[in-house]
Amino acid sequence: MKAILTFAPLFLKRWKSFSAALLLALVTLIAGVSLLGVSGWFITATSLTTLGLAFNLFVPSAGIRALSFVRILARYFERLVGHNATLKLLSDLRGWLFASLFPRLPLPDRSLRHGDLVSRLTTDVDALDTAFLVGIGPLVAALFVGTVMTVILALFLPGAALIYGLCIAAAALLVPLAMITLSRRAGRASVEASAAMRMNVLDAVSGHADIVVLGALGTTQDRFAKAAATASALKRRLSLYTTSGSFAVQIAAGLALVGTLWFGLVALQAGTIDAPLMAALLLAVIGSFEATNVIIRSTSKATAAMAAAERLQALANIDIPVAEPVAPKAWPNDAPITLTGLSFSYGANQPVLNDIDLTIAPGERIAVIGPSGGGKSTLLRLLLRLDEPTSGSISVGGIALDQFATRDVHAHFALLSQDSPVFIDTIRNNLLIGRDTASEDDLWAALAKAQLDEHVRSLPKGLDTIIGEAGRTLSMGQARRLTLARVLLSNAPVLLLDEPTNALDRETEEAFFAVLGQATRDRTVVLVTHATIPEGTVDRVLTLNHGELV
């Protein structure tokens, strides 16, 4: 419960919409209870009356129709307002989660598998966004209607009011509380089991080729079957708790009805109430338990929501690898980048970078080559301040990199990696990721620098052409030049290129380097690559081997 309460500010942000949904839910429930009560009174009164035409049939029947319409309209608008608020809350939750994750990416917790991360970003968020509709709203409505009904019974059947009050309190509070207490562990285990099942699916999909080649398909299927069986068993266990809770609520409703009937018959015999009023009270008691049934059905979701909140909090509370400066310095223009005694190691492992000294002048283009595992990509991570050096320092214009705000670092260093994605979207929107305020002329200028403008102009829809998944409607070279154009559009003075020609054939690779040499003449470039670099692409070529710069 404590984990869910940490999301209270996000719920309060939508308090007006949720309050309107709650008010409409109350109107719906009150109209339903009143409809049953008035109908019971009307039917009983008409069957017992001896006045014939002297009995007023029109006012009660008009009231019944009015209550029916009120109930229908209130239910419709409750769903409309409540689900609209819930969808907005879903957007807020995802925004909060991504804002929490961005300073922590790439996640340092290497035990967090890709499938688990996907599960937390999707299923766990979805478990929270229904908390109001299936939990808070029905609970408040049940307590309000139960209180009003208890007061009404106290006026006409004081003895029944006590029994009813205890029963409605048990159905709305005690039974759900007992269910949550008993099912808390099973709910947490169910969320974990569902996440494990998704992880097995994603692992099998991503590694399908290797699984088939190695003959491990049967083992993988068995692992998934066990995960699915565990998740199914836990779901059945939670369903058993829900069924038991519903049974307990029905017992409470039955006791309340029997108590009202008993004291109603006593009052009817004593002449303190008449038969139509007694029928109205009995049907109203039955109708008032409608909201408690919703609470019981949502209890299993409540335990899942609590477990999901804990998982999301754990994800958002992962330590940030770098700390923001208290008083950030202003970024200097046209300043050299200096690495002094730079060393870095992952934990207690052997240093990946060892005592590196390097100065990169403004506008200079350098290439860093060397074997895999030599520390080339780590060097770019440190320049982007995704990690802190173990020892030594990086400075820009004589100011240590950790004295700048991270947003300023990322505004002045643009990264083009071998994994830079091309999204299923228009060419325009793929480019605007680099700078969302860019004009159409800026887009064409960036494409021209990347020598992709002629191809885009030849397309029927030009910039508004939809690119297929992972850029499949483009050649490998065109997709790579599109990501280069996106980086050039950013206006960052320093470009960091991490294996930008990976997976390209030699002819396409040489063409890309030719484009790169022309497009980056006014930028500082740090190029990390295994490829043979054509003459004129960069100003200097350095070798990084076993963490040492040669």
Side-chain angles (χ1 to χ4, degrees):
M1 185 62 72
K2 182 179 179 181
I4 288 184
L5 291 178
T6 60
F7 293 95
L10 295 178
F11 282 85
L12 292 175
K13 183 179 177 181
R14 304 292 175 186
W15 71 270
K16 291 182 179 179
S17 297
F18 283 127
S19 297
L22 175 59
L23 180 60
L24 288 167
L26 285 173
V27 171
T28 302
L29 188 56
I30 292 172
V33 174
S34 300
L35 181 61
L36 281 174
V38 172
S39 298
W41 175 87
F42 180 56
I43 293 171
T44 306
T46 54
S47 66
L48 295 179
T49 184
T50 58
L51 299 180
L53 295 177
F55 183 77
N56 189 342
L57 297 173
F58 300 103
V59 173
S61 60
I64 291 173
R65 291 191 184 93
L67 288 171
S68 298
F69 280 114
V70 168
R71 186 173 185 273
I72 292 170
L73 291 174
R75 176 71 72 187
Y76 171 78
F77 284 106
E78 176 210 348
R79 292 287 186 263
L80 181 66
V81 174
H83 284 87
N84 181 57
T86 299
L87 290 173
K88 290 181 178 178
L89 176 62
L90 178 63
S91 176
D92 295 340
L93 287 168
R94 296 202 189 284
W96 167 86
L97 183 57
F98 280 98
S100 300
L101 282 180
F102 280 153
R104 296 167 169 83
L105 294 176
L107 293 175
D109 186 358
R110 303 182 188 280
S111 65
L112 190 66
R113 292 161 61 187
H114 174 66
D116 193 18
L117 179 59
V118 171
S119 181
R120 297 191 193 204
L121 293 177
T122 55
T123 308
D124 288 351
V125 173
D126 291 340
L128 282 180
D129 76 337
T130 56
F132 178 85
L133 288 182
V134 302
I136 300 172
L139 175 61
V140 174
L143 292 177
F144 179 82
V145 171
T147 301
V148 171
M149 194 66 211
T150 302
V151 171
I152 293 173
L153 286 174
L155 294 175
F156 296 101
L157 301 173
L162 177 61
I163 297 175
Y164 173 84
L166 292 174
C167 290
I168 195 71
L173 294 174
L174 296 182
V175 173
L177 182 60
M179 289 177 60
I180 290 174
T181 302
L182 293 172
S183 63
R184 180 71 184 277
R185 184 177 297 177
R188 185 183 290 111
S190 177
V191 171
E192 297 289 346
S194 297
M197 189 168 60
R198 293 184 187 90
M199 284 187 281
N200 279 309
V201 171
L202 289 173
D203 289 346
V205 170
S206 60
H208 181 262
D210 291 335
I211 291 171
V212 173
V213 170
L214 295 173
L217 190 59
T219 303
T220 304
Q221 289 175 334
D222 289 342
R223 187 183 301 116
F224 174 76
K226 289 179 181 178
T230 301
S232 179
L234 288 167
K235 291 288 186 183
R236 287 196 299 270
R237 185 176 173 185
L238 289 174
S239 297
L240 178 61
Y241 286 125
T242 302
T243 303
S244 301
S246 297
F247 180 68
V249 167
Q250 292 304 317
I251 291 177
L255 290 175
L257 182 63
V258 169
T260 305
L261 178 61
W262 176 268
F263 286 100
L265 289 174
V266 172
L268 182 64
Q269 187 175 13
T272 56
I273 64 170
D274 55 18
L277 178 58
M278 177 181 167
L281 292 175
L282 287 172
L283 290 175
V285 165
I286 295 173
S288 66
F289 276 85
E290 177 186 350
T292 63
N293 292 323
V294 178
I295 296 173
I296 297 304
R297 290 195 300 270
S298 66
T299 300
S300 59
K301 294 183 180 180
T303 57
M306 286 187 282
E310 291 171 355
R311 284 162 51 85
L312 291 176
Q313 282 294 326
L315 188 60
N317 290 333
I318 293 175
D319 291 337
I320 298 176
V322 295
E324 291 290 333
V326 176
K329 301 287 186 182
W331 192 276
N333 294 323
D334 298 324
I337 302 169
T338 305
L339 284 61
T340 305
L342 186 69
S343 297
F344 181 81
S345 61
Y346 292 99
N349 297 326
Q350 183 177 351
V352 179
L353 299 176
N354 188 24
D355 198 26
I356 291 178
D357 294 312
L358 175 65
T359 298
I360 307 170
E364 184 179 16
R365 297 173 298 172
I366 70 168
V368 180
I369 63 174
S372 297
K376 301 187 300 299
S377 295
T378 301
L379 178 63
L380 298 187
R381 285 180 55 84
L382 295 177
L383 286 171
L384 286 166
R385 202 160 178 258
L386 298 177
D387 279 309
E388 296 284 22
T390 305
S391 62
S393 65
I394 301 174
S395 62
V396 179
I399 304 173
L401 194 64
D402 61 7
Q403 295 301 304
F404 299 110
T406 303
R407 64 177 179 274
D408 289 336
V409 175
H410 295 166
H412 290 81
F413 289 87
L415 175 67
L416 173 60
S417 74
Q418 57 184 308
D419 299 320
S420 292
V422 174
F423 298 95
I424 308 176
D425 206 335
T426 62
I427 293 174
R428 182 191 306 276
N429 289 338
N430 267 275
L431 290 171
L432 288 174
I433 294 171
R435 177 160 53 96
D436 59 4
T437 58
S439 65
E440 186 147 334
D441 290 339
D442 293 331
L443 300 182
W444 285 115
L447 288 171
K449 288 182 179 180
Q451 296 184 17
L452 192 61
D453 56 325
E454 290 186 8
H455 173 72
V456 175
R457 290 184 192 279
S458 70
L459 299 173
K461 293 186 179 180
L463 290 171
D464 295 316
T465 301
I466 298 290
I467 299 173
E469 184 178 0
R472 289 177 182 172
T473 55
L474 302 173
S475 69
M476 288 288 291
Q478 289 169 341
R480 202 56 54 89
R481 288 202 297 276
L482 179 61
T483 57
L484 174 61
R486 184 166 65 203
V487 170
L488 294 173
L489 187 66
S490 69
N491 282 339
V494 182
L495 303 183
L496 306 178
L497 311 178
D498 187 5
E499 301 287 359
T501 61
N502 183 59
L504 299 182
D505 59 63
R506 184 56 189 169
E507 183 180 352
T508 307
E509 183 179 71
E510 288 180 346
F512 180 84
F513 277 131
V515 171
L516 182 66
Q518 293 292 328
T520 61
R521 289 192 180 280
D522 57 343
R523 308 281 187 106
T524 302
V525 175
V526 180
L527 168 64
V528 165
T529 185
H530 286 96
T532 302
I533 305 171
E535 188 73 24
T537 303
V538 296
D539 303 315
R540 281 194 289 164
V541 178
L542 306 173
T543 301
L544 187 60
N545 192 7
H546 299 298
E548 296 184 356
L549 200 60
V550 181

